[in-house]
């Protein structure tokens, strides 16, 4: 027999090792591995080896109800979890929650008719699907959609339920759920109950959801022959204290988002699952008056593989203020155990722990829970059973069941869960509530998105943020309602500019991050790409409407045009309508507009509206109307029209005024002018980057 050379021996050894691994499942040399950490380290998408077959997954886990969510900020995911929990506790459904991007949908036609599929779908931006719902939406609304069985009708087997999350201040209100529902109906699927719609624009999202779900459950129970039972709390997660570990133990997460960050080996891709810890190059206040501050920050992304285009958004991952963390832990009687190490495990195979473990109570509350968010009525009703005394239980039950009473006592004042428990319990500790109830009932702390105010042509490795520090005085509250992320950014700015113990408005933050990993003034970020873009032809005219910090992306656009001129390109006419209260108070980037004028010359004009300088309030929409003739001429030259800022009032009124301008200047009926504006939107000639 021929002699084996070195390569042969290596190959044979590899085959032997592989064979042993296969038959022993690696147990001979297996090392206990943190499954959550590895999944987060791999960014997004389904885990390797995990089935994307819906039917296979449901059968494997013994489920008869799957609740899919399309979520951008976490609210739709939260509603999906709440529906799953309620379906199981009240009706005995075997429920599971699922991320739309983790499954394929060509076998929807094989789901048995004794099972039900929920779709909880948020509409993002201008009628677009959320990031995790893009593939599903494109598949289900495709005219030539194909399924595995070729049935007629294609989805005659499918029983489904839908609820949409939208905002009526946007033109395409709840278009995601409406279009999906329409597509499913067209394919022969059977909807159970009404297609629910929640309206964030009217501030009624929670009440819309609660009002929709009761008749939906009744219809579903009738359809599937379910019997309602008394709902008893069953934890989804187990919390085990780890006596052998301390917060100094290297394997304990103290706020790190995944295993790579824990190990200090964070690398891209940086995204919604994996932030980049970015240095802040500089930060300063654009203005500071009695009740408002406005920040400018430059975020350095040069050491990452992040990139952006002018008009994109940057996501900032905030931390909760120390005072609210203390309040939360104190009311639960956990102050003394804040640094106790715990492991959190899912008791239900399809449930996901929303943060890496082992970790501490302090880290969970500080970095992973929206503890500052207004509390939901349904959550209070669920916690009533754990009240410290009969009086508190009765009050919690009343708050959870009486809509108007809840609004008057809680919603009106934007009270968070810890404040509610403190008030209702009159200072008593609520030590009976299982901590798992808070993991299930409080939304995961979400990144906050800001319109980028820099130009990628001018500074490709530096991202600018322009943000007003949120602080709202509300009736019945001793202290203002303060934004989590903007006050966190203000603390970072204070630290960078020499304040040793930054404490904006009495709020303190762990600005050096877990294990001081953010020291040196860093902030966790990622970039989200946007459709809010300049025309590809720089010679096209643009009309920009950006009052207040709505001027942020417009600053990026104008700096881009300035850079294009410096590079020898020809740019079109650029009109900027900017509004603020007073020219002496909050007129941001004033010097920059003057510099832009020097370079762009007659191709740039700034039109201002100062709302509190005259006897009558003047806003950008009034200035737009005053320039009606020029606006119409530019539109006839195919000018692009951009609006950024408040969706509820300003953006809506600008839309109306533009229709009036076209009607009057072209001598056509308003209905025809409105149709022209709609066509501008659909062709991206009219673009919005708005919020409510």
């Amino acid at each position: 027999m021929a002699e084996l050379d070195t390569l042969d021996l290596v190959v044979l050894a590899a085959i032997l090792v592989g064979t042993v691994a296969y038959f022993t499942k690696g147990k001979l040399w297996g090392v206990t591995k943190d499954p959550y950490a590895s999944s987060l380290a791999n960014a997004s998408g389904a885990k390797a080896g995990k089935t994307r077959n819906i039917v296979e997954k449901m059968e494997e886990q013994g489920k008869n109800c799957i609740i899919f969510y399309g979520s951008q900020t976490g609210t739709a995911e939260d509603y999906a979890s709440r529906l799953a929990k309620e379906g199981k506790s009240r009706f005995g459904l075997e429920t599971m929650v699922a991320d739309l991007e983790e499954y394929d949908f060509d076998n929807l036609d094989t789901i048995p008719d004794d099972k039900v599929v929920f779709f909880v779908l948020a509409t993002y931006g201008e009628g677009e699907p959320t990031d995790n719902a893009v593939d599903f939406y494109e598949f289900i609304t495709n005219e030539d959609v194909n399924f595995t069985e070729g049935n007629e009708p294609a989805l005659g087997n499918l029983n489904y339920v839908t609820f949409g999350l939208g905002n009526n201040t946007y033109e395409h209100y709840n278009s995601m759920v409406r279009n999906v529902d329409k597509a499913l109906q067209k394919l022969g699927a059977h909807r159970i109950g009404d297609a629910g719609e929640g309206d964030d624009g009217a501030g009624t999202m929670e009440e819309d959801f609660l009002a929709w779900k009761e008749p939906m459950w009744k219809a579903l129970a009738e359809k599937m022959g379910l019997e309602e039972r008394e709902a008893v709390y069953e934890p989804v997660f187990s919390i085990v204290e780890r006596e052998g570990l301390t917060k100094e133990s290297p394997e304990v997460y103290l706020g790190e988002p995944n295993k790579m960050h824990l190990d200090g080996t964070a690398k891209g891709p940086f995204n919604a699952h994996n932030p980049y810890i970015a240095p802040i190059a500089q930060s300063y206040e654009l203005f500071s008056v009695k009740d408002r501050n406005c920040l400018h920050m430059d975020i350095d992304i040069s050491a990452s593989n992040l990139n952006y285009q002018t008009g994109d958004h940057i996501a900032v991952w905030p931390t909760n203020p120390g005072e609210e963390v203390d309040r939360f832990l104190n009311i639960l009687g956990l102050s003394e155990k804040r640094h106790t190490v715990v492991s959190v495990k899912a008791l239900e195979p399809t449930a996901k722990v929303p943060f890496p473990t082992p970790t501490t109570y302090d880290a969970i509350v500080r970095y992973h829970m929206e503890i500052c968010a207004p509390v939901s009525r349904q959550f209070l009703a669920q916690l009533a059973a754990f009240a410290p005394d009969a009086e508190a239980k009765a009050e919690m039950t009343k708050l959870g069941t009486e809509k108007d009473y809840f609004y008057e006592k809680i919603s009106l004042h934007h009270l968070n869960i810890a404040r509610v428990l403190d008030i209702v319990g009159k200072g008593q500790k609520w030590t009976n509530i299982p901590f798992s109830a808070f993991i299930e009932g409080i939304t995961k702390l979400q990144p906050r998105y800001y319109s980028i105010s820099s130009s990628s042509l001018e500074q490709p490795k530096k991202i600018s943020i322009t943000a007003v520090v949120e602080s709202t005085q509300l009736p019945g509250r001793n202290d203002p309602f303060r934004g989590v992320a903007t006050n966190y950014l203000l603390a970072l700015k204070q630290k960078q500019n020499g304040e040793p113990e930054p404490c904006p408005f009495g709020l303190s933050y762990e600005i050096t991050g877990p294990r001081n990993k953010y020291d040196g003034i860093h902030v966790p970020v990622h970039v989200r790409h946007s459709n809010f873009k300049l025309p590809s032809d720089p010679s096209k005219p643009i009309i920009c409407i950006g009052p207040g910090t709505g001027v942020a992306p417009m600053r990026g656009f104008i700096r881009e045009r300035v850079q294009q001129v410096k590079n020898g390109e020809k740019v079109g006419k650029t009109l900027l309508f900017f509004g603020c209260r007073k020219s002496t108070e909050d007129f941001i980037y004033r010097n920059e507009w003057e510099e832009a004028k020097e370079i762009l010359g007659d191709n740039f004009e700034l039109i201002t509206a100062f709302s509190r300088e005259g006897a009558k309030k003047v806003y950008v929409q009034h200035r737009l109307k005053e320039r009606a003739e020029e606006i119409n001429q530019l539109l006839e030259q195919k000018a692009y029209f951009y609006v950024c800022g408040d969706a509820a009032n300003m953006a809506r009124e600008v839309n109306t005024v533009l229709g009036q301008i076209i009607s009057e200047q072209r001598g056509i009926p308003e209905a025809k002018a409105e149709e022209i504006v709609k066509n501008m939107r659909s062709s991206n000639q009219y673009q919005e980057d708005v919020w409510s």
Side-chain angles (χ1 to χ4, degrees), residues 380-437:
L380 294 190
Q382 290 170 354
L383 296 184
F386 305 105
D389 59 30
E391 184 184 351
K393 181 177 182 178
E395 178 68 0
M396 287 287 273
T397 302
K398 186 175 183 181
L399 287 167
T401 53
E402 296 185 19
K403 174 181 171 182
D404 294 339
Y405 186 66
F406 174 81
Y407 176 78
E408 175 195 338
K409 295 288 185 182
I410 309 298
S411 291
L412 196 59
H413 314 303
H414 275 56
L415 297 181
N416 62 38
I417 184 60
R419 289 175 184 243
V420 171
L421 295 180
D422 191 32
I423 292 166
V424 172
K426 298 179 179 175
Q428 295 181 82
K429 303 285 192 289
W430 291 63
T431 56
N432 296 329
I433 306 175
F435 195 73
S436 60

Side-chain angles (χ1 to χ4, degrees), residues 129-440:
T130 56
D131 291 346
N132 74 316
V134 171
D135 290 345
F136 163 72
Y137 183 72
E138 289 177 353
F139 173 81
I140 206 70
T141 57
N142 192 316
E143 286 295 324
D144 300 318
V145 60
N146 288 311
F147 296 96
T148 55
E149 297 296 305
N151 298 333
E152 190 56 48
L155 295 182
N157 60 299
L158 185 68
N159 294 312
Y160 74 97
V161 172
T162 59
F163 183 80
L165 296 82
N167 186 317
N168 74 12
T169 60
Y170 290 77
E171 182 187 5
H172 303 284
Y173 172 61
N174 260 314
S175 65
M176 181 68 179
V177 76
R178 291 178 181 182
N179 293 343
V180 167
D181 182 53
K182 184 179 173 184
L184 291 171
Q185 294 272 321
K186 183 179 174 184
L187 292 163
H190 308 287
R191 190 183 69 230
I192 298 169
D194 292 335
E197 293 185 355
D199 187 2
D200 193 42
T204 58
M205 179 74 77
E206 178 70 14
E207 290 303 331
D208 293 339
F209 174 69
L210 297 180
W212 161 80
K213 73 181 180 63
E214 285 311 313
M216 179 278 295
W217 285 130
K218 185 177 177 182
L220 183 61
E222 188 177 317
K223 172 76 175 174
M224 297 185 69
L226 306 173
E227 287 189 19
E228 186 169 0
R229 60 192 189 185
E230 184 180 353
V232 178
Y233 175 72
E234 296 176 34
V236 174
F237 304 104
S238 72
I239 289 86
V240 179
E241 295 186 0
R242 302 286 298 274
E243 292 182 6
L245 296 174
T246 70
K247 70 185 183 76
E248 281 77 32
S249 302
E251 66 267 45
V252 174
Y253 291 84
L254 299 181
E256 294 92 346
N258 59 43
K259 187 74 163 60
M260 291 190 300
H261 284 267
L262 180 69
D263 294 341
T265 58
K267 58 184 179 182
F270 297 107
N271 52 33
H273 304 274
N274 183 39
Y276 172 58
I277 311 303
I280 299 173
Q282 67 168 342
S283 57
Y284 53 87
E285 290 187 46
L286 293 164
F287 68 80
S288 177
V289 293
K290 180 183 173 185
D291 59 340
R292 293 185 304 150
N293 304 61
C294 187
L295 301 177
H296 176 97
M297 275 190 171
D298 287 325
I299 311 295
D300 185 351
I301 59 169
S302 58
S304 74
N305 59 3
L306 281 174
N307 62 75
Y308 78 100
Q309 292 179 314
T310 309
D312 282 345
H313 301 140
I314 185 169
V316 171
W317 294 46
T319 71
N320 286 311
E323 289 67 24
E324 291 297 340
V325 174
D326 293 345
R327 189 196 310 275
F328 185 92
L329 293 171
N330 180 58
I331 202 67
L332 299 184
L334 290 173
S335 293
E336 299 302 314
K337 300 177 80 171
R338 68 190 310 148
H339 298 306
T340 298
V341 177
V342 296
S343 281
V344 181
K345 294 192 188 238
L347 296 172
E348 210 283 318
T350 60
K352 291 180 182 176
V353 181
F355 44 79
T357 73
T359 183
T360 65
Y361 288 114
D362 185 277
I364 294 170
V365 176
R366 190 178 301 276
Y367 291 99
H368 299 297
M369 284 183 171
E370 288 278 10
I371 60 167
C372 296
V375 68
S376 80
R377 183 159 65 88
Q378 186 179 8
F379 192 41
L380 294 190
Q382 290 170 354
L383 296 184
F386 305 105
D389 59 30
E391 184 184 351
K393 181 177 182 178
E395 178 68 0
M396 287 287 273
T397 302
K398 186 175 183 181
L399 287 167
T401 53
E402 296 185 19
K403 174 181 171 182
D404 294 339
Y405 186 66
F406 174 81
Y407 176 78
E408 175 195 338
K409 295 288 185 182
I410 309 298
S411 291
L412 196 59
H413 314 303
H414 275 56
L415 297 181
N416 62 38
I417 184 60
R419 289 175 184 243
V420 171
L421 295 180
D422 191 32
I423 292 166
V424 172
K426 298 179 179 175
Q428 295 181 82
K429 303 285 192 289
W430 291 63
T431 56
N432 296 329
I433 306 175
F435 195 73
S436 60
F438 292 105
I439 300 174
E440 299 157 30

